[in-house]
C-alpha cells in the first residue's frame, strides 16, 4: 500500500495556496483575462449592441495607426503626459526625501505639521480636487497681479532675475526646468504625500548604531547624509519613483481621453483599448528604464 | 635640545588656554549653526504648509460668503455679511445624512473585505512555500504597476453581462446586469483585485515577513491549526499593518471616482460622486445660474464631504503614523 499521507512541506504548500486563492482567482479572471481581451479589442473594430453585447471584427493595427497618426489630440496628450512625468519625478522624489528628513527629526508641533503634510492625500478626489484647483488658481492669480503691481511701482522685474541666472552661466534648459517646477509647486507638493510617508518609514528603519559610529568617527552631518542615510534609503527611492510614475499616469489626461472615447457618444471600444495599450506600454518602458538605471546605484543590505 | 621644565610648563599652560578658547568658539559656532538651521527649517515647513493650507483656508472662508460678498472687491478672506445659507442648501441637495450613511457603510464593508483578503494573501506569500511563488508575487507587483484603465473595458463588459460559468443564464435565461449597483466593486475586492489591493497585499507581506517565526512555531507545537494561527495569532500581531491598510483603504475608497463612474454606481449612495453633480443640481433646481455664486455652494459641499474623512484621519493619525513606521512598507 502506498503511503498517502502528505508531508508537512506539501501540507504547508497547499495551505499557502489556499491563502492566496481569492487573489489568484481575481487575478486570472480580472487581470489576465482582461489584459488579453484589451489586446484583442485594440486589434479589432468593436460594434456595441443595444443589449450590451458586442461583435468584434479583426482590423489589425488600424486602431493604433489612427490613434497615433490621425487622432487630433491623442498624440499631444500622450507626449505631454510623458514629458510632465519626466520633469516632475526627480523633483518629487528629492522634495519628499527632503521633507521626510525634516519631519523625521524631533521638534515641537511635529504631529501638527505631519497632519498638515498628509492632508493632500485626503483631498484627492474629483470634485474636491477641482474646487481646490479653482481656489488655488484664485490665489495664484492674486499673487501674479500683486507681482505685476509691485513691478510697476518699484521697477522690480522678474525677467531681470531670470537674466541674471542665465548670465552666471546656468544653462537655458536648467532655467526652464526651474521655472516650470516653480509654476507647478502646488501640484508637486500635493503629489508627494505618500512618498513622504514611505521615506519617513525608511528613515525610521535605519539602525541608530550606524549614526553612532559615524559620529564617533567624526563625520560631519553632510557626510553622514551621503554615506549613511542616502544609501540606506536608496532602495525606497525605486519604490517611490515607481509609485510616482504610476500614480501620475492614473490621474493623467490620457486615461480621461481613453475613458471618454469608450463611454462618450461614439463608444469606440477598439480605439480606446488601443489608447490604453499605448499608454500602458509607454509607462512600462519608462518604468523599466528608470528602475534599471537606479537599481544599479541602489544599496542593498544582503 | 635641552629640556627646560619651566619652559614646558609655560607652553602647556598657553596651550590649555588656547584649547579652552577654541572649545568656547566652536561651541558658539555650533550653537548658532543649529539655530540658523532650525530657523531655516521653520521657514521651509511654514512655506509648504501655506501652500497646502492656502486653498483650504480660502475654500473655508468662501463657503461663508454671501452672494454680495463675492462681487465686493474689498472683501478678502473675512466675509462682511457671513451666511450659512450655502451650507443649508448644499446640505439639503446632498441629502447629507442619508448619502453619508450609505457611503460610509459601503466604504467600511469594502475596507473590511480588503483587510481580510489582502492580509490572507500577504500571509500566504510571506510564510508558505509553494511552486511558482516568485512568479505569482511578481504578478501582485504587476497589479500595482499596471494602470487600472488598461482593464477597464473588459471588466465593464464582464459586469454588464455577468455570469458565473453559465449558471445564471441556465437559471434565469439571461445574463445579469450588475452595473449601477455596488456589487461589482464588492466582488472585485473579494477576489483581491479591488482599488489598490495589490499595494495592500504587498504591505501585509512585508509586515508578516518581519514578524518572528517563533510565534507560529509555538502555536503549531501547542496544536493550533494554520487558520487558527492566522486569525488568532498573526492578525492580532499585525495591528500596525491592519491600521495602515484600513486608513489607506478608507480614504482612497471614499475618494475614488474612477470605479464609481465606470460601474455607474447610484449617486445617492456615494457622496463624492454626488458632490461632483451638485453644481448642476443647484443650477436646475434652485435656478442659481451665476457660476461664481454657484461655486460657493460647491465650496460648502466640499467642506461637508471632507469633514468625515478628516475626523477619521485625525482620530487615527497617531496610530497610523506608528503603523507606517513599524509596518512593512519598507522592504
Amino acid at each position: 500500500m502506498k503511503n498517502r499521507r502528505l508531508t508537512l512541506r506539501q501540507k504547508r504548500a497547499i495551505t499557502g495556496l489556499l491563502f492566496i486563492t481569492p487573489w489568484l482567482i481575481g487575478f486570472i479572471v480580472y487581470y489576465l483575462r482582461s489584459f488579453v481581451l484589451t489586446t484583442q479589442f485594440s486589434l479589432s473594430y468593436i460594434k456595441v449592441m443595444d443589449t450590451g453585447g458586442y461583435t468584434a471584427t479583426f482590423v489589425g493595427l488600424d486602431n493604433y495607426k489612427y490613434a497615433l497618426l490621425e487622432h487630433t489630440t491623442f498624440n499631444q496628450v500622450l507626449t505631454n503626459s510623458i514629458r510632465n512625468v519626466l520633469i516632475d519625478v526627480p523633483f518629487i522624489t528629492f522634495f519628499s526625501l527632503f521633507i521626510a528628513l525634516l519631519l523625521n527629526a524631533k521638534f515641537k508641533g511635529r504631529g501638527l505639521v505631519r497632519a498638515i503634510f498628509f492632508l493632500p492625500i485626503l483631498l484627492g478626489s474629483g470634485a474636491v480636487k477641482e474646487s481646490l484647483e479653482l481656489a488655488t488658481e484664485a490665489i495664484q492669480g492674486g499673487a501674479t497681479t500683486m507681482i505685476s503691481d509691485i513691478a510697476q511701482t518699484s521697477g522690480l522685474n522678474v525677467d531681470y532675475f531670470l537674466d541674471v541666472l542665465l548670465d552666471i552661466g546656468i544653462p537655458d534648459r536648467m532655467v526652464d526646468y526651474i521655472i516650470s517646477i516653480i509654476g507647478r509647486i502646488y501640484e508637486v507638493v500635493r503629489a508627494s504625500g505618500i512618498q513622504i510617508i514611505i521615506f519617513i518609514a525608511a528613515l525610521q528603519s535605519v539602525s541608530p548604531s550606524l549614526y553612532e559610529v559615524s559620529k564617533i568617527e567624526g563625520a560631519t552631518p553632510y557626510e553622514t547624509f551621503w554615506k549613511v542615510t542616502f544609501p540606506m534609503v536608496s532602495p525606497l527611492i525605486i519604490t517611490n519613483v515607481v509609485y510616482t510614475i504610476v500614480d501620475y499616469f492614473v490621474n493623467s489626461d490620457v486615461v480621461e481621453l481613453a475613458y471618454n472615447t469608450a463611454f462618450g457618444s461614439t463608444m469606440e471600444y477598439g480605439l480606446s483599448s488601443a489608447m490604453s495599450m499605448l499608454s500602458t506600454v509607454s509607462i512600462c518602458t519608462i518604468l523599466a528604464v528608470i528602475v534599471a538605471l537606479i537599481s544599479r546605484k541602489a544599496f542593498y543590505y544582503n | 635640545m635641552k629640556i627646560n621644565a619651566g619652559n614646558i610648563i609655560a607652553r602647556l599652560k598657553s596651550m590649555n588656554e588656547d584649547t579652552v578658547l577654541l572649545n568656547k568658539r566652536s561651541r558658539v559656532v555650533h550653537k548658532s549653526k543649529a539655530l540658523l538651521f532650525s530657523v531655516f527649517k521653520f521657514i521651509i515647513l511654514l512655506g509648504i504648509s501655506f501652500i497646502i493650507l492656502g486653498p483650504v483656508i480660502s475654500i473655508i472662508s468662501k463657503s461663508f460668503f454671501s452672494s454680495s460678498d463675492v462681487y465686493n472687491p474689498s472683501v478678502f478672506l473675512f466675509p462682511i455679511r457671513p451666511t450659512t445659507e450655502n451650507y443649508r442648501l448644499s446640505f439639503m441637495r446632498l441629502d447629507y445624512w442619508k448619502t453619508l450613511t450609505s457611503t460610509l457603510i459601503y466604504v467600511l464593508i469594502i475596507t473590511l473585505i480588503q483587510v481580510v483578503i489582502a492580509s490572507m494573501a500577504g500571509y500566504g506569500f510571506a510564510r508558505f512555500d509553494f511552486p511558482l511563488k516568485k512568479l505569482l508575487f511578481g504578478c501582485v507587483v504587476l497589479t500595482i504597476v499596471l494602470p487600472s484603465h488598461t482593464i477597464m473595458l473588459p471588466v465593464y463588459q464582464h459586469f454588464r453581462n455577468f455570469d458565473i460559468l453559465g449558471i445564471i443564464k441556465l437559471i434565469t435565461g439571461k445574463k445579469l446586469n450588475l452595473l449601477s449597483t455596488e456589487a461589482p466593486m464588492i466582488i472585485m475586492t473579494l477576489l483581491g483585485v479591488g482599488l489598490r489591493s495589490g499595494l495592500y497585499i504587498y504591505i501585509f507581506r512585508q509586515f508578516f515577513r518581519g514578524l518572528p517565526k517563533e510565534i507560529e512555531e509555538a502555536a503549531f507545537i501547542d496544536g493550533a491549526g494554520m487558520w487558527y494561527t492566522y486569525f488568532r495569532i498573526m492578525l492580532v500581531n499585525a495591528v500596525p499593518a491592519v491600521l495602515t491598510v484600513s486608513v489607506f483603504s478608507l480614504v482612497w475608497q471614499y475618494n475614488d471616482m474612477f470605479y464609481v463612474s465606470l460601474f455607474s454606481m447610484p449617486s445617492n449612495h456615494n457622496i463624492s460622486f454626488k458632490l461632483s453633480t451638485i453644481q448642476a443640481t443647484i443650477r436646475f433646481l434652485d435656478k442659481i445660474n451665476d457660476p461664481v455664486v454657484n461655486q460657493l455652494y460647491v465650496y460648502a459641499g466640499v467642506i461637508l464631504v471632507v469633514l468625515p474623512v478628516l475626523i477619521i484621519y485625525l482620530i487615527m493619525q497617531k496610530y497610523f503614523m506608528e503603523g507606517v513606521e513599524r509596518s512593512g512598507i519598507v522592504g
Side-chain angles (χ1 to χ4, degrees), chain A residues 38 51 118 122 125 243 280, chain B residues 150 160 191 196 255 302 313:
Chain A
T38 307
T51 51
F118 303 142
L122 304 184
S125 81
Y243 181 86
T280 308
Chain B
T150 321
R160 176 72 182 76
L191 293 177
R196 307 202 194 203
N255 282 340
V302 167
Y313 172 70

Side-chain angles (χ1 to χ4, degrees), chain B residues 45-87:
Chain B
L45 289 180
L46 192 75
I48 296 167
S49 303
F50 173 74
I51 288 176
I52 296 169
L53 287 181
V56 180
I57 291 171
S58 106
I59 285 184
I60 294 173
S61 94
K62 286 242 173 77
S63 67
F64 287 106
F65 273 26
S66 57
S67 53
S68 66
D69 284 337
V70 190
Y71 285 110
N72 187 346
S74 66
V75 174
F76 176 70
L77 217 53
F78 297 103
I80 292 176
R81 264 179 255 137
T83 167
T84 51
E85 166 65 18
N86 303 334
Y87 281 95

Side-chain angles (χ1 to χ4, degrees), chain B residues 38 60 102 110 116 133 141 150 170 202 210 224 226 239 244 264 323:
Chain B
S38 58
I60 294 173
S102 44
I110 294 274
V116 172
K133 186 169 121 169
V141 176
T150 321
L170 210 69
Y202 186 80
M226 308 256 181
V239 172
T244 313
S264 49

Side-chain angles (χ1 to χ4, degrees), chain A residues 12-13 22-23 26 30 38 51-52 102 114 118 122 125 131 134 197 204 243 255 259 269 273 279-280 287, chain B residues 41 127-129 136 140 145 149-150 153-154 156-160 191 196 201 255 261 295 302 313 324-325:
Chain A
R12 282 185 71 85
W23 169 80
Y30 291 106
T38 307
T51 51
L102 288 186
R114 277 187 178 184
F118 303 142
L122 304 184
S125 81
S131 34
L134 210 74
I197 290 185
Q204 294 278 333
Y243 181 86
V255 179
Y259 185 88
Y269 277 23
S273 302
S279 70
T280 308
L287 279 179
Chain B
K41 199 161 96 174
R127 275 293 194 265
F128 297 97
D129 272 318
L136 288 176
V140 173
V145 174
H149 67 268
T150 321
L153 281 173
Y156 175 83
Q157 278 294 335
H158 174 80
F159 287 112
R160 176 72 182 76
L191 293 177
R196 307 202 194 203
I201 294 176
N255 282 340
S261 48
Q295 190 63 30
V302 167
Y313 172 70
V324 166
E325 278 162 11

Side-chain angles (χ1 to χ4, degrees), chain A residues 35 64 68 74-75 77-83 85-86 245-246 249 252 254-255 273-290, chain B residues 145-147 149-150:
Chain A
F35 199 72
Y64 290 95
L68 282 177
F74 178 75
N75 224 330
V77 169
L78 184 67
T79 40
N80 268 348
S81 303
I82 292 173
R83 202 192 58 207
V85 165
L86 293 182
I245 294 175
V246 172
F249 261 96
S252 73
V254 182
V255 179
S273 302
M275 287 174 176
S276 295
M277 289 303 285
L278 280 172
S279 70
T280 308
V281 167
S282 38
I283 298 171
C284 291
T285 323
I286 294 174
L287 279 179
V289 170
I290 290 184
Chain B
V145 174
L146 209 66
H149 67 268
T150 321

